[in-house]
C-alpha cells in the first residue's frame, strides 16, 4: 500500500513519485507538483479538509480527495 | 530590430502575480471595463503613452496558470491568444511573473513564448523574493530564454518606464521553442497547420489538444480536427503531461543558474499569520469579526453620504418644482426622473465600502484563507469554499456577486451559488427593511446597548443567509452532474495592500453598478410615475366631482381637498387599477392595493418600494416628502374596512419576509441569463424565489393575525 500526500502529518515531507488519477494529475503538474518534487504538509484546515502544502517554492491548498491522488515515497 | 511597431499589448500572468498593479501603473484611470464577446468575463482595456509618444492599447487578461484552461476566466486567455484573427489578439504579450514564485510562473511564460508571439518577461516582486532569501539574476534568465526581461515593482511603479521603453523599441522574436513538440503526432500537427495555414507548430498542437474550445472555428470543423487526431492516435493527456514535465525541466535548468536560494527559511510572517487566521477557534472568530466590521461599516459609515445624497436630490427636486412652471414635464422631472436617479446613486456609498473591503481582503491574501476555512463547511451544502466571496458580495448587490462566481470552475457548484445569491439581503432591501422595522419595532435597547431595531435588521440578513444555504441543499439534490469538483488553490503570501488597486476597484465597481442597475431603476421610476399619474380619461375627470359628492368641502382646507382629489386619482390611475386587480391574490398576505402597486413595481427592482410608497402617498401633494414623513404617512394609513392601523406587526412581518425572499430584480435575472447563457436558470430563480416569498409571507400573516 503506497502512501499519498494526504497521509502526511503536519510538518512531514515526502517526494512525489506518481499519481492515481490522470485528469487531476495534469492540473497538479501544472501547479508544480511534479514527480521528484518534495511536498510538505503545512497544516490542515480546522475541519480537517482542505490541506495546505508547500511545494515548488510556494503554498498550495488541496482537498483531501485531491491530495490522495499524489503518491509519495 | 523589428520593423513593426507594437500597437496592441496584452498583460498575462498567474493569479497573484501583481498583474493588475502593473496594468494600473501603465494606464492609471485611463481604463475601461467591457466584456469579452459571449461571456461576461471582465475585459479591462486601457491606454498608455510610450516614450516615443505613441499611445498604445493595453489589454489586461484574466489570471491563469497555463494555456490549458479550467475556468471560464482562464478560457478567455486561451481564446484571445489561440486565434490570430481574434479582435483582441495582441502584437506583444507582457508576462508578469512573481519573482518569489518563479518556477510555477515561468510555465505559462514558456507556453506563450512557444506560440510565437513577441513576449516580454516582467519580473515583479523581486523585493519579496529577496526577503525570502532568493537572489534572482534577470540577465541570466534573459540569456537563456532569449527574450527581454524587465525588473519591475508593481507596488512602487519602479521599472514601468523601462518596460514602456522596451515596448516602444521593439525586439526580435526568438524562434527557438522551449518545448519541442515535434515528436507528438507530427501528422496531426502538420494537418492542422496546412488546413488553417498556421506557421507555428505549437499553436497547431494546441488546436489538436483543445479542439473543444476553439470558439473561432465552426463546430463541424472542430469534430474534423478530433477525427484527424484520433486517426493518428493523438494522446492528449500523455502529451500534455510530457509537455509540462519538459517545460519544468527546462525551467529548472534556467533557475539553477539564474536564482540563488539561501537555505534560510523566511516565510515567517506568513507562517505566523496563518497559525492565527486558520486557527480552529481564532480563525473563525477573526472571520466573523471581519464580517461584523464590514456590516458595521456598510450601515454606519455609509449613512452620512447616503443621507446627503438623499437630501440634495430632494432639495433639487423641490427647488425645481418651485421655480419651474407647473406642467406635466416638470412633474416628470421632479417626481419621476430625479427621484429615480437618486434611487440609484444612494446605493453607491454602500457598494463602494463593500468593495473596498473585498478588494482589501483579496489584496492582502486573506481571502484565500477564508476559502480554505470555509470549503468543507460549504461543501456540505453543495457549494464550494469559493462560493463564500460571492455570497458575501451578495450583501451589497447580487449583480457583481453573480459575476464573481466565475472563479468556481465546477459547473454545478457555480450554478447553485448563482441561484442562491439573490437570497442574500442586498443593499436594495435595506431601505425596505429599515422603513418597515422602524414602523413596527420599538426603539428599544436590549441590555442597555444593543439596539433592538438593529438586532431585527441583523436577523433579516441572517435569515437570508440561512435560506440561501437551505436552498443550496435542495438545488444540490435536484441537479445531477458527473463533473468532478476541484479545489486546488494557491495560498499567496500575506502582503500589504496596494491602495491604488483598492481605489480603482471601488471606482470600477461603483461605475458598473450605476450604469448596469441604474438604467433599469431609472426606467422603472419613469414608467411608474406615468402609470400613477395617468388613468382612463373619464375616471380621472370625475375626481373633483367625487370629492365634492362624498366630503363636506366647506370643512376642508384647499390643501386637504387637493389631497383627496389626488388620492382618488391615484386609486383610479393605471397603477391603481393594476394594484386593485392583484388585490385578491395578495389579500391573504395582508396587503392592500397600494402595497400591490409597490409589489408590482418592485418586481423590476426592489429598491423602488420606498420610492413607490413615497409616490403613492405623495403624488400631487404640495410638499415633497422625505423618508421620515413617508414613515409617518404609512403609520397613519388606516385599513378602510376595520378602521385600524394598516401597517400592523403581522403585515410588516409578512412584507419583510416577502421582500427577503422574492426575486425582485430584473438586472439580476438579466445577469444570471448572461452568465449561464440560458433562460432556464433565471426562470428557475424567479419561480422558486417567488413561491418561497409568497408561501412564507402567507404563513407568517395567517399565523400572526
Amino acid at each position: 500500500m503506497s502512501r499519498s500526500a494526504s497521509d502526511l502529518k503536519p510538518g512531514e515531507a515526502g517526494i512525489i513519485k506518481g499519481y492515481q488519477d490522470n485528469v487531476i494529475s495534469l492540473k497538479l503538474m501544472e501547479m508544480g507538483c511534479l514527480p521528484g518534487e518534495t511536498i510538505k504538509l503545512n497544516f490542515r484546515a480546522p475541519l480537517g479538509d482542505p490541506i495546505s502544502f508547500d511545494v515548488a517554492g510556494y503554498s498550495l491548498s488541496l482537498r483531501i480527495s485531491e491530495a490522495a491522488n499524489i503518491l509519495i515515497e | 530590430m523589428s520593423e513593426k511597431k507594437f500597437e496592441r499589448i496584452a498583460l498575462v500572468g498567474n493569479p497573484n502575480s501583481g498583474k493588475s498593479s502593473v496594468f494600473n501603473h501603465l494606464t492609471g484611470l485611463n481604463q475601461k471595463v467591457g466584456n469579452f464577446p459571449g461571456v461576461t468575463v471582465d475585459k479591462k482595456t486601457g491606454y498608455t503613452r510610450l516614450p516615443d509618444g505613441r499611445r498604445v492599447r493595453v489589454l489586461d487578461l484574466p489570471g491563469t496558470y497555463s494555456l490549458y484552461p479550467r475556468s471560464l476566466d482562464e478560457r478567455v486567455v486561451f481564446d484571445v491568444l489561440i486565434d490570430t484573427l481574434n479582435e483582441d489578439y495582441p502584437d506583444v504579450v507582457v508576462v508578469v511573473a512573481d519573482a518569489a514564485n518563479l518556477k510555477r510562473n515561468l510555465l505559462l511564460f514558456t507556453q506563450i513564448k512557444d506560440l510565437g508571439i513577441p513576449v516580454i518577461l516582467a519580473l515583479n516582486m523581486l523585493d519579496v523574493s529577496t526577503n525570502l532569501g532568493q537572489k534572482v539574476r534577470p540577465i541570466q534568465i534573459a540569456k537563456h530564454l532569449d527574450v527581454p526581461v524587465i525588473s519591475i515593482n508593481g507596488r512602487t511603479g519602479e521599472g514601468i518606464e523601462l518596460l514602456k521603453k522596451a515596448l516602444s523599441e521593439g525586439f526580435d522574436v526568438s524562434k527557438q521553442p522551449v518545448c519541442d513538440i515535434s515528436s507528438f503526432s507530427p501528422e496531426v500537427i502538420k494537418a492542422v497547420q496546412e488546413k488553417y495555414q498556421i506557421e507555428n507548430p505549437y499553436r497547431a498542437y494546441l488546436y489538436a489538444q483543445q479542439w473543444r474550445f476553439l470558439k473561432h472555428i465552426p463546430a463541424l470543423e472542430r469534430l474534423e480536427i478530433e477525427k484527424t487526431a484520433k486517426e493518428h492516435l493523438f494522446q492528449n493527456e500523455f502529451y500534455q503531461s510530457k509537455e509540462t514535465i519538459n517545460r519544468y525541466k527546462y525551467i529548472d535548468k534556467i533557475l539553477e543558474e539564474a536564482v540563488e536560494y539561501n537555505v534560510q527559511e523566511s516565510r515567517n510572517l506568513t507562517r505566523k499569520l496563518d497559525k492565527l487566521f486558520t486557527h480552529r477557534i481564532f480563525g473563525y472568530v477573526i472571520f466573523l469579526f471581519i464580517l461584523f466590521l464590514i456590516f458595521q461599516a456598510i450601515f454606519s459609515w455609509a449613512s452620512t453620504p447616503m443621507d446627503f445624497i438623499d437630501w440634495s436630490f430632494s432639495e433639487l427636486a423641490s427647488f425645481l418644482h418651485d421655480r419651474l412652471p407647473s406642467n406635466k414635464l416638470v412633474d416628470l422631472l421632479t417626481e419621476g426622473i430625479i427621484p429615480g436617479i437618486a434611487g440609484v446613486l444612494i446605493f453607491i456609498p454602500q457598494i463602494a465600502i463593500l468593495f473596498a473591503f473585498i478588494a482589501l481582503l483579496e489584496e492582502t491574501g486573506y481571502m484565500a484563507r477564508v476559502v480554505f476555512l470555509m470549503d468543507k463547511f460549504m461543501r456540505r451544502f453543495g457549494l464550494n469554499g469559493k462560493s463564500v466571496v460571492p455570497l458575501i458580495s451578495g450583501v451589497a448587490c447580487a449583480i457583481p456577486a453573480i459575476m464573481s462566481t466565475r472563479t468556481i470552475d465546477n459547473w454545478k457548484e457555480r450554478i447553485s451559488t448563482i441561484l442562491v445569491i439573490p437570497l442574500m439581503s442586498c443593499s436594495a432591501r435595506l431601505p425596505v427593511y429599515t422603513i418597515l422595522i422602524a414602523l413596527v419595532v420599538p426603539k428599544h435597547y436590549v441590555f442597555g446597548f444593543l439596539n433592538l431595531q438593529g438586532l431585527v435588521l441583523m436577523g433579516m440578513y441572517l435569515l437570508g443567509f440561512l435560506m440561501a444555504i437551505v436552498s443550496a441543499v435542495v438545488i444540490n439534490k435536484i441537479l445531477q452532474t458527473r463533473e468532478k469538483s476541484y479545489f486546488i488553490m494557491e495560498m499567496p503570501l500575506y502582503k500589504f495592500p496596494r491602495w491604488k488597486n483598492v481605489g480603482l476597484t471601488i471606482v470600477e465597481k461603483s461605475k458598473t453598478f450605476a450604469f448596469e442597475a441604474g438604467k433599469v431603476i431609472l426606467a422603472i421610476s419613469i414608467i411608474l410615475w406615468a402609470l400613477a399619474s395617468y388613468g382612463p380619461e373619464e375616471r380621472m375627470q370625475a375626481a373633483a366631482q367625487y370629492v365634492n359628492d362624498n366630503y363636506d368641502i366647506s370643512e376642508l382646507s384647499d390643501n386637504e381637498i387637493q389631497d383627496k382629489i389626488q388620492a382618488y386619482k391615484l386609486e383610479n390611475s393605471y397603477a391603481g387599477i393594476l394594484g386593485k386587480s392583484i388585490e385578491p391574490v395578495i389579500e391573504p398576505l395582508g396587503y392592500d392595493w397600494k402595497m400591490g402597486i409597490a409589489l408590482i413595481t418592485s418586481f423590476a427592482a426592489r429598491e423602488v418600494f420606498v420610492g413607490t410608497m413615497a409616490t403613492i402617498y405623495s403624488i400631487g401633494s404640495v410638499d415633497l416628502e422625505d423618508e421620515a414623513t413617508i414613515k409617518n404617512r404609512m403609520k397613519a394609513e388606516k385599513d378602510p374596512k376595520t378602521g385600524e392601523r394598516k401597517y400592523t406587526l403581522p403585515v410588516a412581518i409578512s412584507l419583510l419576509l416577502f421582500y427577503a425572499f422574492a426575486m425582485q430584480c430584473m438586472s439580476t435575472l438579466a445577469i444570471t441569463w448572461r452568465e449561464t447563457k440560458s433562460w432556464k436558470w433565471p426562470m428557475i430563480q424567479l419561480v422558486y424565489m417567488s413561491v418561497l416569498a409568497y408561501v412564507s409571507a402567507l404563513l407568517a400573516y395567517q399565523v400572526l393575525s
Side-chain angles (χ1 to χ4, degrees):
Chain A
M1 187 65 202
S2 53
R3 287 180 84 202
S4 75
S6 60
D7 299 325
L8 291 168
K9 288 182 188 61
E12 195 190 349
I15 292 170
I16 301 175
K17 62 172 188 190
Y19 314 91
Q20 226 148 37
D21 175 284
N22 247 344
V23 180
I24 195 168
S25 77
L26 293 172
K27 204 64 225 174
L28 289 168
M29 274 156 68
E30 273 181 0
M31 298 299 282
C33 302
L34 296 156
E37 192 71 53
T38 305
I39 184 165
K40 185 178 127 196
L41 194 149
N42 241 333
F43 53 86
R44 288 169 190 271
L47 299 171
D49 190 12
I51 313 170
S52 165
F53 291 99
D54 269 357
V55 67
Y58 76 105
S59 290
L60 177 70
S61 67
L62 300 173
R63 286 182 180 161
I64 290 177
S65 58
E66 293 160 348
N69 281 304
I70 304 177
L71 302 173
I72 52 161
E73 52 187 315
Chain B
M1 285 292 126
S2 68
E3 285 303 303
K4 193 173 173 259
K5 297 263 188 208
F6 299 137
E7 298 284 347
R8 297 149 70 83
I9 299 157
L11 293 184
V12 180
N14 281 187
N16 308 307
S17 62
K19 190 169 55 68
S20 40
S21 298
V22 176
F23 179 69
N24 289 342
H25 274 298
L26 280 174
T27 61
L29 272 173
N30 197 356
Q31 45 179 270
K32 199 177 98 211
V33 183
N35 284 316
F36 288 100
V39 279
T40 44
V41 173
D42 281 347
K43 173 175 164 183
K44 285 205 212 160
T45 49
Y47 287 88
T48 195
R49 201 168 286 286
L50 297 180
D52 59 8
R54 284 183 308 132
R55 197 164 160 269
V56 292
R57 181 174 182 267
V58 187
L59 169 67
D60 186 20
L61 286 166
T64 183
Y65 292 107
S66 84
L67 286 181
Y68 292 89
R70 267 198 307 169
S71 66
L72 282 173
D73 266 10
E74 294 175 353
R75 199 166 299 170
V76 168
V77 183
F78 177 76
D79 289 346
V80 169
L81 296 182
I82 196 69
D83 171 20
T84 48
L85 296 176
N86 187 296
E87 56 166 14
D88 292 310
Y89 189 79
D91 300 331
V92 58
V93 172
V94 175
V95 175
V96 180
D98 172 2
N101 196 349
L102 207 47
K103 184 169 173 174
R104 209 206 50 221
N105 274 257
L106 282 180
L107 178 75
L108 176 67
F109 176 85
T110 64
Q111 290 176 334
I112 291 173
K113 178 172 181 284
D114 285 359
L115 275 178
I117 309 174
V119 58
I120 294 180
L121 179 64
L123 280 183
N124 194 14
M125 306 200 230
L126 281 161
D127 48 346
V128 182
S129 148
T130 309
N131 285 339
L132 291 176
Q134 302 171 1
K135 200 169 169 231
V136 180
R137 298 194 195 88
I139 297 170
Q140 291 288 332
I141 299 176
K143 206 181 82 193
H144 272 281
L145 288 168
D146 195 18
V147 295
V149 176
I150 316 272
S151 306
I152 55 166
N153 186 332
R155 200 171 288 272
T156 60
E158 244 173 287
I160 296 288
E161 286 309 314
L162 285 174
L163 177 63
K164 286 188 183 177
K165 193 159 162 273
L167 286 168
S168 72
E169 282 171 356
F171 49 87
D172 286 329
V173 182
S174 141
K175 286 270 189 315
Q176 182 64 37
V178 169
C179 178
D180 181 15
I181 45 103
S182 58
S183 62
F184 300 168
S185 296
E187 307 89 345
V188 179
I189 296 175
K190 196 148 170 266
V192 175
Q193 277 185 300
E194 270 165 18
K195 164 114 200 207
Y196 296 99
Q197 292 174 354
I198 300 171
E199 203 189 317
N200 180 292
Y202 183 61
R203 188 178 295 272
Y205 160 80
L206 281 181
Y207 269 52
Q209 271 285 2
Q210 313 202 60
W211 54 270
R212 255 183 214 90
F213 301 145
L214 297 170
K215 266 186 14 193
H216 60 291
I217 286 179
L220 274 174
E221 286 188 28
R222 275 180 256 166
L223 293 176
E224 200 72 22
I225 299 178
E226 190 202 10
K227 222 179 98 199
T228 317
K230 272 212 176 115
E231 270 166 25
H232 295 280
L233 304 172
F234 191 89
Q235 298 163 277
N236 299 55
E237 288 171 8
F238 176 69
Y239 291 158
Q240 193 192 336
S241 74
K242 227 172 147 190
E243 182 198 336
T244 309
I245 290 174
N246 284 348
R247 289 185 188 283
Y248 271 120
K249 262 192 198 145
Y250 184 87
I251 292 166
D252 273 337
K253 217 170 66 201
I254 300 174
L255 295 186
E256 218 166 89
E257 286 179 39
V259 185
E260 206 176 283
Y261 295 95
N262 267 328
V263 198
Q264 145 224 353
E265 174 68 72
S266 49
R267 287 162 202 272
N268 280 336
L269 183 65
T270 290
R271 291 263 182 280
K272 277 184 190 147
L273 287 174
D274 265 342
K275 278 226 164 69
L276 186 66
F277 288 141
T278 64
H279 187 271
R280 64 199 162 88
I281 297 162
F282 298 124
Y284 293 101
V285 171
I286 292 169
F287 178 48
L288 283 179
F289 176 75
I290 289 174
L291 278 189
F292 175 78
L293 198 72
I294 295 176
F295 275 92
Q296 279 297 311
I298 290 178
F299 296 132
S300 55
W301 302 353
S303 68
T304 311
M306 286 173 87
D307 289 345
F308 176 74
I309 293 169
D310 197 21
W311 173 83
S312 20
F313 274 88
S314 66
E315 284 294 303
L316 177 69
S318 66
F319 175 82
L320 292 177
H321 187 87
D322 292 347
R323 299 299 158 89
L324 294 173
S326 152
N327 59 39
K328 279 285 171 198
L329 211 63
V330 174
D331 284 352
L332 171 65
L333 185 69
T334 56
E335 291 168 3
I337 295 174
I338 292 178
I341 295 174
V344 177
L345 293 184
I346 201 147
F347 293 114
I348 292 208
Q350 288 187 332
I351 289 193
I353 290 173
L354 182 89
F355 278 103
F357 273 101
I358 288 183
L360 261 178
L361 297 184
E362 278 186 350
E363 280 280 309
T364 51
Y366 179 73
M367 212 55 119
R369 274 70 189 184
V370 174
V371 172
F372 183 73
L373 277 179
M374 300 297 286
D375 182 61
K376 192 170 182 191
F377 178 75
M378 299 305 279
R379 239 188 304 159
R380 274 179 210 165
F381 310 108
L383 300 171
N384 183 303
K386 291 172 189 162
S387 311
V388 174
V389 182
L391 285 177
I392 297 172
S393 315
V395 174
C397 177
I399 296 163
I402 288 177
M403 280 158 51
S404 65
T405 59
R406 284 181 219 128
T407 52
I408 306 171
D409 23 82
N410 178 272
W411 173 83
K412 183 175 164 185
E413 290 170 345
R414 179 157 178 264
I415 289 283
S416 307
T417 311
I418 288 177
L419 287 179
V420 303
I421 279 174
L423 285 171
M424 299 297 288
S425 286
C426 67
S427 56
R429 278 150 170 134
L430 189 60
V432 185
Y433 289 169
T434 344
I435 201 159
L436 289 170
I437 288 173
L439 270 177
V440 291
V441 178
K443 252 202 184 124
H444 203 72
Y445 281 87
V446 186
F447 306 124
F449 66 95
L450 285 171
N451 181 320
L452 186 62
Q453 292 182 338
L455 282 180
V456 174
L457 186 66
M458 214 171 135
M460 292 307 297
Y461 278 84
L462 210 61
L463 187 69
F465 174 68
L466 288 178
M467 198 46 92
I469 293 286
V470 171
S471 308
V473 174
V474 178
I475 291 167
N476 192 37
K477 287 261 183 303
I478 299 169
L479 283 183
Q480 296 297 332
T481 175
R482 273 166 288 125
E483 195 188 0
K484 260 195 165 167
S485 156
Y486 290 128
F487 183 71
I488 310 185
M489 180 188 68
E490 179 184 357
M491 299 270 262
L493 295 175
Y494 289 101
K495 288 187 205 87
F496 208 74
R498 285 147 292 186
W499 300 108
K500 190 173 178 183
N501 292 355
V502 177
L504 285 169
T505 306
I506 296 174
V507 172
E508 177 207 305
K509 297 287 179 189
S510 308
K511 244 165 62 184
T512 310
F513 171 80
F515 291 114
E516 289 274 329
K519 282 182 287 199
V520 180
I521 299 172
L522 186 60
I524 295 301
S525 309
I526 294 170
I527 293 170
L528 172 67
W529 172 85
L531 285 178
S533 302
Y534 294 94
E537 197 66 28
E538 66 286 7
R539 290 217 218 169
M540 294 312 259
Q541 273 168 357
Q545 194 55 48
Y546 168 86
V547 174
N548 213 350
D549 293 347
N550 288 277
Y551 296 95
D552 186 357
I553 293 186
S554 57
E555 282 188 11
L556 295 171
S557 70
D558 280 353
N559 274 350
E560 283 172 317
I561 295 173
Q562 275 308 313
D563 278 357
K564 293 267 186 274
I565 292 176
Q566 292 304 338
Y568 180 84
K569 276 191 173 169
L570 177 66
E571 196 171 341
N572 289 286
S573 69
Y574 293 117
I577 295 167
L578 217 57
K580 287 211 155 161
S581 68
I582 64 159
E583 210 169 12
V585 185
I586 55 173
E587 218 179 353
L589 311 184
Y591 312 154
D592 62 11
W593 62 273
K594 289 184 186 175
M595 296 178 206
I597 299 176
L599 285 191
I600 290 173
T601 55
S602 296
F603 264 93
R606 47 180 79 85
E607 51 270 50
V608 300
F609 174 82
V610 178
T612 307
M613 285 307 187
T615 314
I616 293 171
Y617 292 122
S618 82
I619 262 192
S621 252
V622 186
D623 302 313
L624 281 154
E625 308 293 329
D626 64 17
E627 219 162 271
T629 48
I630 296 168
K631 197 177 91 191
N632 288 338
R633 291 214 167 196
M634 286 167 72
K635 210 166 204 162
E637 181 75 3
K638 297 269 193 304
D639 189 327
K641 280 177 215 141
T642 59
E644 302 275 314
R645 255 175 72 182
K646 181 65 207 167
Y647 287 89
T648 55
L649 187 65
V651 171
I653 287 179
S654 158
L655 267 178
L656 279 173
L657 288 175
F658 193 90
Y659 273 85
F661 300 146
M663 176 67 253
Q664 297 166 299
C665 180
M666 294 212 292
S667 316
T668 303
L669 290 174
I671 216 82
T672 302
W673 167 71
R674 256 177 32 184
E675 288 288 332
T676 59
K677 296 203 204 72
S678 140
W679 276 112
K680 183 175 153 199
W681 302 112
M683 284 304 119
I684 289 176
Q685 209 169 29
L686 178 65
V687 171
Y688 99 86
M689 289 180 66
S690 305
V691 170
L692 194 60
Y694 189 87
V695 171
S696 44
L698 179 70
L699 283 178
Y701 182 72
Q702 295 300 337
V703 169
L704 289 170
S705 65

